[in-house]
Each structure stands twice: as C-alpha cells, then as structure tokens.
Amino acid sequence: QLKMIIKCVCCDSIDLKKVKIFKKPPKTEPNYNIKNYFRIILKCNECGNFQNISNINMKKIYEKNYSQISYGKNLWDKLLKVYNLKKKSDNYHRVNRIIDRYKKFNNSKNFCILDVGTGFGLFLYVLKKRNKNWKLQAVEPDQNNINFIKKELKIKATKGFIEEIFTSKKFNLITLNKVLEHTKKPLEVFKRLKKSLKRNGEMYIEVPDGETASKQGYDREEFFIDHHYIFSKKSFKYLLDKSGFKIMNIKKVKEPSNKYTLFAFVKLIEKKP
C-alpha cells in the first residue's frame, strides 16, 4: 500500500479519492514488461484531475525502448500509415489547427516552432510538407526517434526530456502534443518553456480528457500507466492559470482514434511595468 499525503498538481487540494486499482495492465496497454505491476488512479474532488500513482520508473522505458514498443521498428512504415489516413488521423486535425491559427505567418521564414516530445516526428513531417518556410525543431528523449527525425525527416532535433529542456533560442510557437501528461512536474516544464518563447509567442498544448474518458471506464488509453496526469477541463484551466498563461482558446474534442482530448492555445500574461 502507498501511504502518503498527495496534493493535486493543478489546484493544490488534498481531497483526492481512489477510483481504480490496477494489479495488472489493462489488456490494451502496451507491454512494457513491468514486474510487480501495481498502480492507483486518484481523482481530485475539487477540480476533477486524475493522477496515476505507482513506483514504476517510466523514464528508463522512455530512453530505451518506448519507441519500438509504441511504434514498432520500421518508423517510416508507421509514419506513412498514419499520414495516409488523412482526415481519419488525429494528427491531420492537429496540423490544421496550427495552419489555420498562424496562416498570417505562412510566408514568413522567421516563424520558428519547437515541438516538445516529438515522438517519431509525424507532426513536424506534415507541417514541413504544408509549409516549407517555417523553421522547425524537435526535442525528444528516445534516441531511435532522434536518429529518424534527423536523418530521414531532415528536421533539427535535440535529445532530452521535457523537464531538462534548455535552449537559448526563442520560438514563436511551442507545441506539446500529448506530452504534458508524461511528466510528473508540469509546472517546472512550463517555467522552462516560457523562457524560450518570443515576445507575443504562444503555446499549443494537447492533453488527455480524463473527465469525458472516465465515463467509459479506466481501462482506456487516456489512463495508461505512462500518463501521470489525466485532466479535466477545469483542472487544465487551473494548471494553465497557475503557470502564468492567458488562455486564448480551450476546447474538448473526440479524436478520429476515439481518444478524448483537451487542447489549448495560450500565451504569456504581459507583466505590467
């Protein structure tokens, strides 16, 4: 049993309740070869945020074989398979959101995008095909993915975890697509990333929508072990506000893959002199 006082990362409440105990992985969860599998899902009664509590070190898995377990060995095959789904792909709609919002920068060769936790690079690959002008950069912890992004996709990439990001370069847009839930320290991540935003720069953030997904049970992908937090709209707003962001747009969507997602466009709140 895990005995500790746990505070909600979003609203700081300690009023959390157990909603599910797992002593073995759900059937649809990727096989990470975890021994003595045990985890508890807690829900905050104040803001509706969910939290996975376990003693499992996902960081080692991310560095070693997360890519192969999640995507398989042939990354080109995986990338093209998803790319060819077009409107049936979650990524298709994600890219459209970015293209639509920043269309006034279409012809700008100085518009810089940093994608954090890039995976095997599908998002940046499609952005590059849609807009040749923009300068794209990836940050990703998995070495297999880094090699693929740099050598095959010809996109600048740096190896690293989101908690450790440091870059002196400034970006117009920073994107986190289903990444924030993988860190135990989202507030620290935001604190670091804010330093890499240009003046009037924005961030696009996608996270799992636990509030909607929970109505169908906790075996769903939104609640898998690699997600430390699974948000509600209320808890996501709390976290963004706590991090010093102005929310430009926030929305719930059901993806073509049947995942439930929250996405937001945010910018820094201007400090008064």
Side-chain angles (χ1 to χ4, degrees), residues 92-105:
Y92 177 92
H93 301 280
R94 172 185 299 140
V95 170
N96 277 352
R97 286 176 208 130
I98 302 300
I99 295 290
D100 289 347
R101 183 168 179 86
Y102 303 103
K103 57 189 172 187
K104 67 180 179 182
F105 299 106

Side-chain angles (χ1 to χ4, degrees), residues 78-94:
K78 177 66 175 176
L79 185 146
L80 292 174
K81 184 178 179 181
V82 180
Y83 175 70
N84 288 327
L85 288 172
K86 299 197 183 301
K87 290 184 180 180
K88 294 180 181 177
S89 154
D90 300 353
N91 189 70
Y92 177 92
H93 301 280
R94 172 185 299 140

